[in-house]
Amino acid sequence: MNKNNSEPTSGNSDSGCIYLVGAGPGDPELLTLKAARLLRDADVVVYDRLISAGILAQVPAGVTRFYVGKADGHHHVSQPEINALLLKLAQSGYQVVRLKGGDPFIFGRGSEEASYLQRHGARFEVVPGITAAAACAAYAGIPLTHRGVANGVQFISGRGRHNREPELDWQALAHSASTLALYMGVDSLDQVCSKLLRAGMPGDTPAAAIENGTTRQQRRLISTLAQLPIQAVAFRLQSPAMVVIGEVVNFSQTLDWFRPDSGQPAAASARSMHG
Ligand SMILES: C[S@@+](CC[C@H](N)C(=O)[O-])C[C@H]1O[C@@H](n2cnc3c(N)ncnc32)[C@H](O)[C@@H]1O
């Protein structure tokens, strides 16, 4: 793990607490007020790979930082090591922000860390964040639900246990009236789309991939279930990307409001151009 600063100095053996904080998907303005306050007041920040530079810039100089991210499914620091670090910091009395991309309890291992802390009698609190599915879809002009089009949404992971195939009920997913929001799906995109097709989902079902959602690097690929895997290769789709499958993707043509190059909504960038 990388430790950027010196040992934290303001620990207090009575008041250590681990705040499991969701940072949202990248745009620093999507941090909650509570997350921003806790970052300002923290002794230590322990953060993951998907925390954007803009969010790390909110951490005051002098706060000790530990990077415990992983690359391409390979853990830079193992989960037991992260758990042990958090416990030690809590037992030493520090106010610790355990900063995670999106929401800590959605494919974020926040519940594993909370369970470990709870078992060892350490104080923790959970601060929800905006999860990638909601934020990336919104920044791509896609409502995850829409009356009469999709009355639900299912969050699914493209990665199973130990990086194996996802174990999902493909029949149920293929015949569901809900939107599907696929996390960690870049490597398994071909497999996931094929399984849905084989289970009976129509090939012309609208599908989108949103890479680096909510940031200036955001790119979106609008396609169909049958075409998405091959188009993703030509598009050179990279992680992190969210995949959204369902009729709601059609709204992306008319509700496309975000201009990633300026980091601004279309209306604001038009105003500043004219101003
Ligand atoms: C380990 S999961 C963490 C999810 C996170 N806890 C959340 O609630 O959004 C990582 C996956 O989230 C998605 N993701 C996170 N940030 C993203 C972003 N800025 N753009 C697109 N997808 C993102 C990608 O599917 C990525 O592979």
Side-chain angles (χ1 to χ4, degrees):
M1 84 194 64
N2 287 343
K3 181 164 159 299
N4 301 0
N5 286 328
S6 52
E7 279 291 323
T9 49
S10 53
N12 164 347
S13 57
D14 295 331
S15 60
C17 183
I18 306 291
Y19 297 93
L20 295 158
V21 176
D27 180 350
E29 292 201 301
L30 294 180
L31 271 180
T32 62
L33 291 173
K34 189 164 187 178
R37 173 175 64 75
L38 289 168
L39 282 177
R40 281 196 302 275
D41 294 347
D43 299 317
V44 184
V45 174
V46 180
Y47 66 100
D48 284 339
R49 186 171 67 93
L50 287 180
I51 302 300
S52 70
I55 287 171
L56 283 178
Q58 315 288 312
V59 180
V63 173
T64 302
R65 303 171 189 204
F66 287 97
Y67 173 64
V68 294
K70 46 184 166 160
D72 299 331
H74 171 74
H75 284 260
H76 178 74
V77 183
S78 71
Q79 192 60 49
E81 285 174 311
I82 297 172
N83 294 346
L85 171 68
L86 295 176
L87 181 60
K88 189 171 169 216
L89 290 167
Q91 287 172 338
S92 305
Y94 296 116
Q95 299 292 318
V96 180
V97 169
R98 171 67 176 111
L99 197 57
K100 290 174 168 288
D103 180 272
F105 275 11
I106 297 182
F107 302 130
R109 294 187 155 219
S111 45
E112 291 176 35
E113 292 172 14
S115 300
Y116 181 87
L117 293 168
Q118 187 272 334
R119 278 200 305 278
H120 290 82
R123 264 187 67 211
F124 68 90
E125 290 187 21
V126 183
V127 181
I130 301 183
T131 193
C136 298
Y139 274 54
I142 302 170
L144 289 177
T145 67
H146 185 93
R147 192 153 48 104
V149 178
N151 287 329
V153 56
Q154 300 192 57
F155 293 170
I156 57 174
S157 167
R159 209 176 279 163
R161 281 176 73 82
H162 309 299
N163 288 335
R164 290 208 207 98
E165 237 183 65
E167 287 154 26
L168 294 164
D169 183 344
W170 301 105
Q171 284 293 331
L173 291 173
H175 296 97
S176 155
S178 297
T179 304
L180 301 184
L182 173 69
Y183 290 74
M184 295 171 273
V186 173
D187 293 342
S188 56
L189 190 58
D190 199 9
Q191 193 182 45
V192 168
C193 292
S194 303
K195 297 232 183 212
L196 289 171
L197 287 167
R198 261 185 266 135
M201 187 179 264
D204 62 358
T205 306
I210 306 126
E211 178 187 283
N212 283 312
T214 81
T215 72
R216 283 172 185 248
Q217 291 74 43
Q218 174 171 313
R219 296 195 303 149
R220 49 169 230 181
L221 170 63
I222 308 297
S223 182
T224 60
L225 180 66
Q227 292 297 315
L228 187 64
I230 186 73
Q231 291 189 347
V233 174
F235 188 80
R236 296 181 190 280
L237 183 71
Q238 302 278 334
S239 185
M242 273 305 311
V243 174
V244 180
I245 302 170
E247 295 298 325
V248 288
V249 169
N250 286 331
F251 285 95
S252 63
Q253 308 300 335
T254 49
L255 303 185
D256 177 24
W257 60 273
F258 179 57
R259 296 288 165 267
D261 43 355
S262 66
Q264 296 280 332
S269 47
R271 268 201 306 279
S272 62
M273 269 171 16
H274 293 119

